[in-house]
Amino acid sequence: MEHAPEDDDLERIAPMLSRIPRTDPFVVPEGFHDRFAQEVQGRLPRTARTPVWRPWLLRTAMALPVAALLVTGWWMLRPNPTEPQKAPGLDAASADLAEVVWEEDLLQGLTDEELAALSPVPEAPALSVEELADYYELTGTDLTDLIESL
Amino acid sequence: MAEFSDRELLDLFRQEGSRHYAFNLLVRQYQGRLYAFVRRMVTDPDESKDVLQNVFLKAWNGLDRFREDAQLYSWLYRIAHNECITHLKRLRRGLFVSQDHVIERLSTTLDKSEHFTGDAIQAALQRAVMTLPDKQRAVFTMKYFQELKYEEISAITGTSVGALKSSYHIAVRKIEDQLTRDRTK
């Protein structure tokens, strides 16, 4: 057998090893190489090769329920069209603030009397039945006329 | 048997109708060289056959992903190399024994004439090779017996050429020492 270039070095560093013939001393069982390829074929799966698109389809099938859940969640949480719509872009705090600003603009330039006139009239305290009777007697109001005017 | 190029084998393999036929050609083309390597590593003929079958089954499963920037032979050799290392590790773990016991077990093949036809010095060499650590033994086997180039071994093992040269020279010295010791016994 033809030796590699490194073998010159081998003879120097390993003289015993370099003198041993490199023939293969292992016996190959008779007919091994004739039978082996058939034996390997016998262990191969016979099913058709998985098409390239199949793993892709599998991933899509797994993603579909997740997508369905997301869509359902969005559908359930979306704003109800039957509920009264808020002014677009205004939340509750912004709407209150706009109202205050709007009122300030309206009241600008009014006199104190005009402002006092706009102020709500304080409600009169409710009278008891006896007080009311005394009041009508004092003012001479005829109760029959009063009831008819209602 | 006519040799097929990697391209021819792969083209045939990629056609659905000739997939098994192409793989059969591939096995026939490479089984001899790979068996020689596996047998040197594992020594027992039955275990060597099992390991080699696993090599080709893994090749079958991975051939679709084989990148053609590498040689088919180097790729198959790499699978064989990894399977041998895994087998030897499993052997050691399964037996719960030391390296010496594994060597003893592997050496029994050398004592049977139906498995080994070498003379005493060849048996001594094989025993000396068995004393090497698994990966060093693989490097020595590929370089010394199979006469692969360092670049090819580098592609198979994923080790740099420099590291392979060092590993090989250490292995050679160890084997020479072992042979010298055997001779003086």
Side-chain angles (χ1 to χ4, degrees):
Chain A
M1 190 180 283
E2 198 179 314
H3 283 186
E6 293 94 356
D7 287 349
D8 295 337
D9 195 32
L10 188 73
E11 280 173 28
R12 187 178 56 77
I13 60 168
M16 284 191 71
L17 175 63
S18 64
R19 282 199 293 273
I20 300 173
R22 296 192 197 193
T23 50
D24 189 351
F26 288 98
V27 177
V28 180
E30 206 177 327
F32 175 85
H33 290 306
D34 297 327
R35 289 190 310 269
F36 183 76
Q38 282 310 111
E39 286 175 11
V40 171
Q41 284 287 323
R43 289 186 63 185
L44 297 181
R46 283 281 145 192
T47 50
R49 184 164 33 156
T50 308
V52 176
W53 53 266
R54 198 171 288 172
W56 184 85
L57 184 70
L58 191 67
R59 279 197 294 273
T60 309
M62 286 167 72
L64 273 178
V66 178
L69 273 174
L70 288 173
V71 169
T72 309
W74 170 81
W75 183 260
M76 292 175 76
L77 297 174
R78 80 193 198 289
N80 191 344
T82 57
E83 282 177 7
Q85 294 283 317
K86 286 178 186 172
L90 287 181
D91 56 17
S94 307
D96 289 346
L97 185 65
E99 201 172 319
V100 170
V101 172
W102 179 239
E103 272 186 19
E104 279 179 1
D105 288 346
L106 275 179
L107 302 178
Q108 250 177 4
L110 294 181
T111 62
D112 288 345
E113 288 78 24
E114 287 167 330
L115 280 173
L118 283 172
S119 300
V121 178
E123 257 182 53
L127 300 175
S128 66
V129 177
E130 288 79 21
E131 285 171 335
L132 201 58
D134 290 345
Y135 172 75
Y136 288 137
E137 197 181 327
L138 188 69
T139 55
T141 309
D142 184 2
L143 283 177
T144 313
D145 292 343
L146 187 65
I147 291 165
E148 279 175 0
S149 70
L150 291 174
Chain B
M1 193 184 108
E3 285 260 317
F4 290 84
S5 69
D6 286 2
R7 161 64 54 195
E8 287 170 325
L9 287 172
L10 289 169
D11 283 349
L12 272 174
F13 185 79
R14 281 165 189 158
Q15 294 165 30
E16 199 60 54
S18 57
R19 195 170 164 82
H20 280 82
Y21 169 67
F23 197 73
N24 195 36
L25 291 176
L26 181 146
V27 173
R28 287 181 186 280
Q29 187 154 312
Y30 292 115
Q31 63 177 359
R33 279 176 278 180
L34 292 175
Y35 180 80
F37 171 69
V38 172
R39 186 71 191 275
R40 289 259 185 201
M41 290 292 288
V42 177
T43 68
D44 180 79
D46 293 332
E47 288 176 21
S48 300
K49 183 177 140 186
D50 290 344
V51 169
L52 194 60
Q53 281 193 351
N54 286 339
V55 170
F56 282 112
L57 288 177
K58 288 199 171 167
W60 168 268
N61 290 327
L63 204 52
D64 279 323
R65 296 185 299 277
F66 173 70
R67 294 202 316 266
E68 288 176 54
D69 52 351
Q71 277 191 315
L72 200 49
Y73 178 50
S74 299
W75 181 69
L76 289 169
Y77 225 120
R78 188 187 309 160
I79 300 173
H81 168 263
N82 293 343
E83 278 297 300
C84 287
I85 301 288
T86 306
H87 176 80
L88 292 171
K89 272 187 194 161
R90 202 182 297 139
L91 201 65
R92 209 168 293 129
R93 266 206 311 270
L95 295 173
F96 292 107
V97 291
S98 65
Q99 174 75 358
D100 290 346
H101 283 83
V102 173
I103 293 166
E104 202 180 303
R105 184 176 178 280
L106 295 175
S107 302
T108 54
T109 304
L110 307 180
D111 302 328
K112 294 175 186 165
S113 60
E114 71 267 30
H115 296 322
F116 188 80
T117 55
D119 55 16
I121 189 73
Q122 281 182 316
L125 168 60
Q126 199 53 43
R127 284 195 176 87
V129 174
M130 283 176 192
T131 63
L132 299 173
D134 295 343
K135 286 183 182 174
Q136 201 171 57
R137 185 166 150 202
V139 171
F140 181 81
T141 301
M142 284 187 266
K143 180 69 191 151
Y144 187 80
F145 293 119
Q146 310 247 284
E147 299 187 331
L148 296 184
K149 294 188 176 88
Y150 282 119
E151 289 74 18
E152 290 173 310
I153 304 173
S154 174
I156 292 163
T157 58
T159 311
S160 71
V161 170
L164 288 172
K165 282 183 179 173
S166 304
S167 178
Y168 178 68
H169 279 94
I170 292 167
V172 165
R173 284 182 190 280
K174 280 185 189 172
I175 288 168
E176 184 71 9
D177 288 349
Q178 183 68 41
L179 291 172
T180 309
R181 276 199 299 275
D182 285 352
R183 198 182 178 194
T184 52
K185 269 183 191 172

